[in-house]
Amino acid sequence: MRSTPRAETFPAQTPAAAQVFTTVLSHGPLTRLEAGRRAGLSPAAVTKAVRPLLAAGYLVEGGDPAGGTGSGEGPVEEARPALGRPAGLVRVNGERALFIGVKATGDELIAVLTDLRCRVRLARRTPLPDRAAAPALASIADLVHELLAHAVESGAPVAGLGIAVSGDVDRAEGAVRYSPFLDWRDVPLAGLAATACGLPATVDNDVRALTVAEQWFGAGAGLSDFAVVTVGAGIGCGLVVHGRVVAGAHGVAGEIGHLVVDPAGPPCHCGNRGCVEAIAGDAAIVARMREVTGHQVPDSDAAVALARQGLPGAREVYARAGEAIGRGLATVANLLGPQRVIISGEGLAAYDLFAEQIREAFTTAAFGSAARCDVQTRPLPFEEWARGAAAAAIQTFITENPARGKG
């Protein structure tokens, strides 16, 4: 839980104000009429919602001098002016507040400083020599304070910190229940980070945070139902259903990596056998490659190299991984019927080795019209995962504001 006072308070007095703001953030600049249409609100409700946001400088009227959408990632949607007079555009003032996002891996920290529109201003990486919670937190604090020093030059307040960690993360409680790659259990990270860094802190599962960034600023913008599936050290899945990122009753949802696709398959660290991750995760691929080829394969880069060299049996390892991933994707499509599945993660470096098997397994296992789901690949560096952590902090700032419920 957050233990430091919020230095900057978002002036949304009602859920409608937050809704209008996030609509403009993701799709703007927009006319008020278009913002209301997208948010499902009346013109009067939009006017009431926009007024305090304009007064506090979070929204401004007029076109975007930098060009692009609210996320800075595409063309401005054509405004729909009212008959007889031009309609003014409303856009998010990205310079109004800054945010810091940190992605923690098993051996590295990646941090970004973003503006309110989640545009990266500065990125930093640093090794994580000791992954135990206390020294790791000290490393995170050092990195955050380095970015805070740069933020001072802008004059805008840093309104929040987001930290993205793999594994079972309870965002509501700000706790990492279990992170296998960091070997953390029951770490109250949000409260500890807030105290160490002097910022309101949000902690989320890394894939779920990446999904927030894709929903607001990336390939999921404008979609009500989609999934982000990440392949690499683990196999993760973030879900958006009816416009909301799904967290589950206990903070765990979308664990595609632990879907059993081969009951007689290799054991998984979760205790089951034949999980997608036990077949298609980096460690599983490397282990299987050693077994099949007899080579001392040190890491996933070496495994990819052997497969591309055509070493006997090496490509079959990736074919098996692709089939497992494809079956997992089909399960997501069958259960939720998303408009799009976005595949990302460091494992995409080997995508050419198993893309065909992913498509074939997905097409075979997807039921009926679920097979029409748009499956896209989107390679993203770890800086984008850190940006996802910043997006989670922005989301908290906007939607979990203490002023909510006053009218």
Side-chain angles (χ1 to χ4, degrees):
M1 300 295 287
R2 296 164 191 83
S3 60
T4 59
R6 188 183 295 280
E8 181 77 16
T9 300
F10 187 66
Q13 302 298 312
T14 66
Q19 190 176 358
V20 169
F21 185 84
T22 56
T23 299
V24 177
L25 182 66
S26 296
H27 304 290
L30 298 173
T31 65
R32 297 189 190 199
L33 185 65
E34 179 65 11
R37 186 187 69 82
R38 287 178 176 268
L41 297 171
S42 69
V46 172
T47 297
K48 181 179 179 181
V50 163
R51 189 178 297 119
L53 298 172
L54 287 169
Y58 285 94
L59 291 179
V60 293
E61 292 185 289
D64 186 355
T69 65
S71 61
E73 292 193 6
V76 176
E77 179 172 323
E78 185 178 348
R80 299 184 179 185
L83 199 59
R85 61 172 185 157
L89 295 172
V90 178
R91 64 180 173 88
V92 171
N93 176 14
E95 311 303 313
R96 181 62 178 78
L98 304 177
F99 295 82
I100 293 174
V102 179
K103 156 70 174 170
T105 74
D107 54 14
E108 188 179 27
L109 298 174
I110 304 94
V112 296
L113 177 69
T114 80
D115 66 10
L116 182 55
R117 286 165 50 177
C118 217
R119 296 173 298 189
V120 175
R121 289 185 165 208
L122 189 67
R124 289 287 185 269
R125 287 185 176 226
T126 187
L128 185 62
D130 190 339
R131 65 182 63 171
L137 178 64
S139 296
I140 289 172
D142 288 344
L143 196 53
V144 169
H145 283 114
E146 179 183 347
L147 293 182
L148 283 171
H150 286 277
V152 169
E153 301 171 6
S154 74
V158 177
L161 164 67
I163 304 176
V165 178
S166 66
D168 179 0
V169 180
D170 186 335
R171 174 168 167 167
E173 293 297 323
V176 179
R177 299 301 180 200
Y178 175 54
S179 179
F181 302 118
L182 291 166
D183 196 25
W184 289 359
R185 291 184 183 274
D186 295 319
V187 177
L189 187 59
L192 295 173
T195 300
C197 301
L199 292 171
T202 297
V203 176
D204 208 347
N205 169 271
D206 55 353
V207 180
R208 199 158 54 229
L210 183 65
T211 303
V212 172
E214 289 298 289
Q215 179 189 26
W216 282 6
F217 310 110
L223 300 180
S224 61
D225 299 87
F226 72 93
V228 175
V229 174
T230 58
V231 296
I235 309 294
C237 181
L239 303 171
V240 172
V241 178
H242 299 318
R244 293 182 175 272
V245 178
V246 177
H250 304 289
V252 178
E255 281 292 344
I256 185 178
H258 297 289
L259 287 172
V260 175
V261 293
D262 180 4
C268 182
H269 64 80
C270 74
N272 291 315
R273 299 187 72 91
C275 295
V276 176
E277 192 168 300
I279 298 171
D282 283 350
I285 288 174
V286 169
R288 181 64 176 166
M289 192 71 75
R290 290 171 183 157
E291 180 183 336
V292 168
T293 66
H295 283 60
Q296 293 300 315
V297 184
D299 53 30
S300 57
D301 289 341
V304 169
L306 289 176
R308 288 184 177 147
Q309 289 167 18
L311 199 67
R315 280 190 171 267
E316 284 72 13
V317 174
Y318 281 96
R320 185 185 186 211
E323 182 180 0
I325 294 169
R327 288 184 181 179
L329 295 180
T331 299
V332 172
N334 290 340
L335 285 174
L336 299 173
Q339 297 154 280
R340 179 173 296 160
V341 173
I342 302 158
I343 306 175
S344 190
E346 67 272 23
L348 283 187
Y351 190 69
D352 59 299
L353 297 172
F354 51 41
E356 182 179 350
Q357 288 77 19
I358 290 176
R359 285 194 298 269
E360 289 179 353
F362 175 80
T363 301
T364 299
F367 176 75
S369 60
R372 294 162 51 193
C373 172
D374 176 29
V375 178
Q376 295 186 358
T377 57
R378 186 162 153 81
L380 296 171
F382 273 131
E383 282 76 11
E384 287 296 312
W385 293 67
R387 181 173 177 255
I394 293 170
Q395 184 184 55
T396 296
F397 180 68
I398 295 168
T399 64
E400 299 178 22
N401 170 38
R404 188 76 69 254
K406 289 184 180 179

